[in-house]
Amino acid sequence: MASRRFEGKVAFITGAARGQGRAEAVRFAEEGANIIAVDACTQFASTPYSGATDDDLAETVRLVEATGQKIASYRVDVRDFEGLSAALADGIARLGRLDVVVANAGICSSALSWEITAEQWQETIDVNLTGTFNTAKAAIPHLIEQGTGGAMVFTSSMSGLKGTPLTSHYVASKHGVTGLAKAIANELGEYEIRVNTVHPAGVETGMDMSSMLPVLEKYATTLAPIYMNTLPQPITQPEDIAAAVAWVCSDEARYITGAQIPVDLGNLNR
């Protein structure tokens, strides 16, 4: 039986319809939290994989409710600050408080840097970086006003700490997320609100980036090794990331803020 580290608390999670966001919603619910879940449930123009759907978000709702916890779910895009703020405010009104913020929504596509289109660049920056900023901007006033501290985690990537090739727009967005978290952590320390980033390598979600493989095979001796892990497993599961996020948001990590938590099979060690 899971520990109940978040009994009576509320977690706000973006990109919650599937993948890491769904796993995080379920993990926090299993540990006693009620959930405010948002997802755009749309097809992004620049990604090579299908976006999440309304049915995906409904499944997250079902899984959270199966734990016995409450969930308020909203179809809203993190690029829409007003819509995101309204959804969060409604969720807090329904569930009573806010304790944890997981800015997880993100997208990825691939190309050599000089072949990235303006559309790819803009959509990636808007969703990954501006969306994370919007999530924080919407949530922080509630946490400060509540006056009971809190924990925020931004989903970055190994690409938020190293220069993974074929994804320079994604790298730029995730380095931005990492820096944003470090700055906000300094600003919120006096309020006992902690801000950290998690840095996965490959995670088995709906974000299928197999389109990169032909180029990596072409540059097998120069680019492909950058993606190699230290541990023998090729990929992590969403639940592995959710476990790390739950830990860093718990009182067990109460003195950790402004940190970068890798869950990357040792990729950053190479």
Side-chain angles (χ1 to χ4, degrees), residues 178-241:
T178 303
L180 180 67
K182 292 169 73 174
I184 295 175
N186 286 329
E187 294 173 348
L188 295 182
E190 66 178 291
Y191 301 102
E192 296 192 57
I193 300 168
R194 301 183 297 106
V195 187
N196 297 288
T197 48
V198 293
H199 298 262
V203 185
E204 192 169 5
T205 67
M207 190 181 285
D208 179 8
M209 295 302 296
S210 58
S211 58
M212 294 171 57
L213 293 178
V215 181
L216 289 177
E217 289 172 0
K218 180 179 179 181
Y219 297 99
T221 60
T222 56
L223 300 187
I226 298 172
Y227 284 95
M228 291 179 64
N229 301 323
T230 298
L231 294 174
Q233 292 79 14
I235 198 166
T236 61
Q237 297 300 313
E239 291 75 17
D240 298 314
I241 314 305

Side-chain angles (χ1 to χ4, degrees), residues 2-3 5-6 22-33 35 239 242-244 246-247:
S3 60
R5 295 177 292 188
F6 300 98
R22 175 188 286 171
E24 288 154 357
V26 172
R27 179 60 183 255
F28 279 103
E30 288 174 340
E31 295 206 31
I35 307 298
E239 291 75 17
W247 170 75

Side-chain angles (χ1 to χ4, degrees), residues 6 26 84 139 143-144 163 169 173-174 202 208 220 225 231 233 261 264:
F6 300 98
V26 172
L84 188 67
L143 291 171
I144 291 175
H169 51 329
S173 72
K174 292 301 189 178
D208 179 8
L231 294 174
Q233 292 79 14
I261 311 298
D264 67 337

Side-chain angles (χ1 to χ4, degrees), residues 12-134:
F12 172 44
I13 302 168
T14 68
R18 67 182 186 191
Q20 294 175 57
R22 175 188 286 171
E24 288 154 357
V26 172
R27 179 60 183 255
F28 279 103
E30 288 174 340
E31 295 206 31
N34 293 322
I35 307 298
I36 302 170
V38 305
D39 202 291
C41 297
T42 191
Q43 178 63 52
F44 293 95
S46 66
T47 59
Y49 51 85
S50 298
T53 66
D54 291 333
D55 287 344
D56 290 328
L57 185 56
E59 177 63 8
T60 297
V61 170
R62 186 191 71 80
L63 291 169
V64 168
E65 290 179 341
T67 71
Q69 297 303 124
K70 298 177 181 178
I71 180 170
S73 67
Y74 305 88
R75 181 179 180 177
V76 62
D77 194 312
V78 292
R79 294 172 291 184
D80 174 10
F81 176 72
E82 296 302 325
L84 188 67
S85 297
L88 177 58
D90 185 74
I92 293 171
R94 290 170 60 183
L95 298 178
R97 58 183 298 112
L98 180 65
D99 302 279
V100 170
V101 178
V102 182
N104 169 74
I107 61 171
C108 189
S109 60
S110 70
L112 291 164
S113 59
W114 57 93
E115 295 176 352
I116 291 169
T117 66
E119 178 183 62
Q120 279 179 295
W121 174 270
Q122 197 62 59
E123 192 169 58
T124 301
I125 297 297
D126 287 349
V127 174
N128 293 0
L129 182 53
T130 304
T132 297
F133 170 77
N134 286 344

